[in-house]
Amino acid sequence: MARFRFSLLASLLSLAFIGVAAAKPQNYVHYNATFSYTYCSPSSIRIPNNIRAVQKIVQEALKSHLKVKAFGSHHSTTDIICPPTGSIAIDSAHLNWIKINKKAKTVKVGAGTLEKNVIDALEAQGLSFPQTTTYGGITMGGATGTGAHGSSFKHASTFSEMLVGMTIVTGTGEILTLKGKDLDDFRVHLGFLGVVVEVEFTVVPLYKVLVTAYPTDDAILYTPAFLQMAEATDSLVVTWIPRIKKLAIVNRTYVPVGTPGNGAAFGGGGAVFSVEQRVQESQIFDYFEVTRNQTAMCAVEEGYFYSIFSNVTSQGFPPAFIDNMGNFANPVVGFPRNVLTTTCQAPKCAFLAPTPILTKELAFAIPARNLQLLLAIFDEIYKKYPSCFPLSGVLFRFAPPSRGLVAAEQGEPTIHFELLIHLVESNHDIASIQLEFFQALSKALYANKKLKARPHWGKNGHENSHRIPH
Ligand SMILES: Cc1cc2nc3c(=O)[nH]c(=O)nc-3n(C[C@H](O)[C@H](O)[C@H](O)COP(=O)(O)OP(=O)(O)OC[C@H]3O[C@@H](n4cnc5c(N)ncnc54)[C@H](O)[C@@H]3O)c2cc1C
Ligand SMILES: *[C@@H]1O[C@H](CO)[C@@H](O)[C@H](O)[C@H]1NC(C)=O
Ligand SMILES: *[C@@H]1O[C@H](CO)[C@@H](O)[C@H](O)[C@H]1NC(C)=O
Ligand SMILES: *[C@@H]1O[C@H](CO)[C@@H](O)[C@H](O)[C@H]1NC(C)=O
Ligand SMILES: *[C@@H]1O[C@H](CO)[C@@H](O)[C@H](O)[C@H]1NC(C)=O
């Protein structure tokens, strides 16, 4: 136990430096994916604050035969955030303007503008995006880069689909605005099109969200009623715990903006009660792995499950939904800003807290019509390697067909499904208890051509640090 206590102390000491690390120096030269070991080493990193400045950087790079790649909040875990070594990287952070056209119901934003800032600005004008991602700290350029998604069959579920215009600086330094049909090839742009400087989206009148969360047997998953339920709901998020054969359904129904209530999603699985708890968690998980204690992992999984819909907050998970007083609430009504995106703030957000829990994620999209095939593959592997997913369960989200050429939802109603496993941090020679299941499923997803599974562009990277909600 001494080792655990020592590293707990070390972790607490490291908290003292958070303030320092948070201030990004202007001349930093390397950057990491926030949640993985992906490490980028360009020759320099520029932080332009207008389109003209971006043009200058590109023209300069052209002269010296250097490549250029822009990045956003580097929350993608894969190396799509990196330019080739030695190239110039553009940090989009200062391309952060917001121009709302209330009459046309559109918003034009700089590519580096944070999603949550756009959501706030829209709300102030009585407008909203029809869906959001779980975490609002990503940039709009980055969100369209990977096709980041929320969950809805009924409404546009990605910013890439809401896109009506995109202004870029091309490889030769020209400014180009794409609209209409041309956009479809680059709705999900992966940073390959040029430097995206401005993106324009259609928005909708502001609404509120009535959230009702409840458990149910997983038998419904194997019937057409499952997809029908998702089709009939504005936004449905489903967490599956195969071991206990249960689903936690989160029904997010849009209601008129005048509906009383100002509740919030308390970060879901990403939230923790305290920093100390957060610091201890990674060591506790390591301890479970070292002692091969699947029972303990499964108990955490169950704690997570109950936190989604109830005030049974065992295993350290706060309730997923709270009222305006901060107390557990279900059902709860609130604005998209608080309910669709997470409001947990550092350091009580697990994924923004200082010490990492090492995770590995599997985030795939399949055509909705292939759900039963996916379940058959999943169940066969699960039978061989019964597993628990204490950090996420198995998450299902939904999306209508996308027009984007490389969108995960290209051409068909789509199901996104994902799960996280924990990896041992302190003993690299010890494999996660869940690893056999994880690897077998990963392989099967790639190998089964009928399934047409497609990986999330910004996920499935190297192992992640920090527990992340999706
Ligand atoms: C806590 C957390 C929760 C998440 N939740 C969700 C979720 O609910 N749904 C989901 O789909 N994903 C989710 N993700 C993944 C995340 O939304 C995507 O990885 C997103 O692309 C990250 O945006 P970013 O601003 O960090 O962009 P980056 O990761 O920095 O970049 C993404 C891509 O966009 C390109 N790019 C960025 N800016 C520009 C620009 N100005 N010009 C040209 N190219 C550019 C980059 O080159 C790269 O290819 C989550 C991630 C985290 C960490
Ligand atoms: C990136 O990660 C590496 C390896 O974990 C670490 O050594 C380095 O300090 C990090 N760099 C930055 C800029 O965060
Ligand atoms: C979702 O909630 C709405 C509003 O309470 C309700 O009418 C609808 O039946 C619910 N649907 C599901 C699938 O839970
Ligand atoms: C596994 O963890 C549980 C707590 O969930 C504990 O009661 C049990 O004794 C542990 N078993 C072993 C073998 O360590
Ligand atoms: C949890 O909620 C139930 C009703 O849903 C209530 O009866 C109970 O007192 C609550 N418990 C706590 C600890 O808040």
Side-chain angles (χ1 to χ4, degrees), residues 210 214 229 233 251 253:
L210 163 63
Y214 55 93
M229 179 167 78
T233 315
N251 171 347
T253 293

Side-chain angles (χ1 to χ4, degrees), residues 3 31 43 61 69 102 165 171 198 259 263 317 319 369 403 419 423 441:
R3 183 168 59 82
Y31 56 103
S43 59
K69 182 144 194 178
K102 214 174 157 175
E198 188 175 77
T259 312
F317 293 106
R369 65 186 158 86
R403 295 160 285 176
L419 53 89
L423 294 181
L441 183 62

Side-chain angles (χ1 to χ4, degrees), residues 119 192 256 441:
I119 293 172
F192 289 154
L441 183 62

Side-chain angles (χ1 to χ4, degrees), residues 369-388:
R369 65 186 158 86
N370 287 345
L371 174 61
Q372 294 311 317
L373 177 56
L374 169 70
L375 293 174
I377 293 168
F378 186 102
D379 287 346
E380 197 186 317
I381 294 168
Y382 192 86
K383 226 186 285 159
K384 247 188 245 165
Y385 309 113
S387 295
C388 286

Side-chain angles (χ1 to χ4, degrees), residues 298-433:
C298 296
V300 179
E301 179 190 57
E302 207 156 316
Y304 173 59
F305 177 69
Y306 282 103
S307 77
I308 297 171
F309 53 85
S310 76
N311 59 3
V312 180
T313 54
S314 65
Q315 307 290 340
F317 293 106
F321 300 101
I322 52 176
D323 62 19
N324 60 341
M325 305 296 288
N327 298 317
F328 161 73
N330 179 20
V332 67
V333 173
F335 287 105
R337 166 168 59 93
N338 292 326
V339 169
L340 297 184
T341 56
T342 176
T343 53
C344 70
Q345 307 264 318
K348 286 195 179 174
C349 252
F351 54 91
L352 297 174
T355 40
I357 283 185
L358 273 187
T359 62
K360 199 162 174 60
E361 73 185 337
L362 195 60
F364 271 74
I366 56 156
R369 65 186 158 86
N370 287 345
L371 174 61
Q372 294 311 317
L373 177 56
L374 169 70
L375 293 174
I377 293 168
F378 186 102
D379 287 346
E380 197 186 317
I381 294 168
Y382 192 86
K383 226 186 285 159
K384 247 188 245 165
Y385 309 113
S387 295
C388 286
F389 313 101
L391 302 168
S392 65
V394 180
L395 187 75
F396 291 98
R397 288 185 287 178
F398 309 90
S402 171
R403 295 160 285 176
L405 187 65
V406 297
E409 307 87 356
Q410 210 268 336
E412 287 205 67
T414 292
I415 294 181
H416 289 276
F417 81 102
E418 48 203 295
L419 53 89
L420 289 175
I421 63 164
H422 171 258
L423 294 181
V424 185
E425 186 172 16
S426 55
N427 301 68
H428 284 283
D429 53 342
I430 293 176
S432 158
I433 319 177

Side-chain angles (χ1 to χ4, degrees), residues 291 293 295-296 299:
T291 56
N293 195 334
T295 309

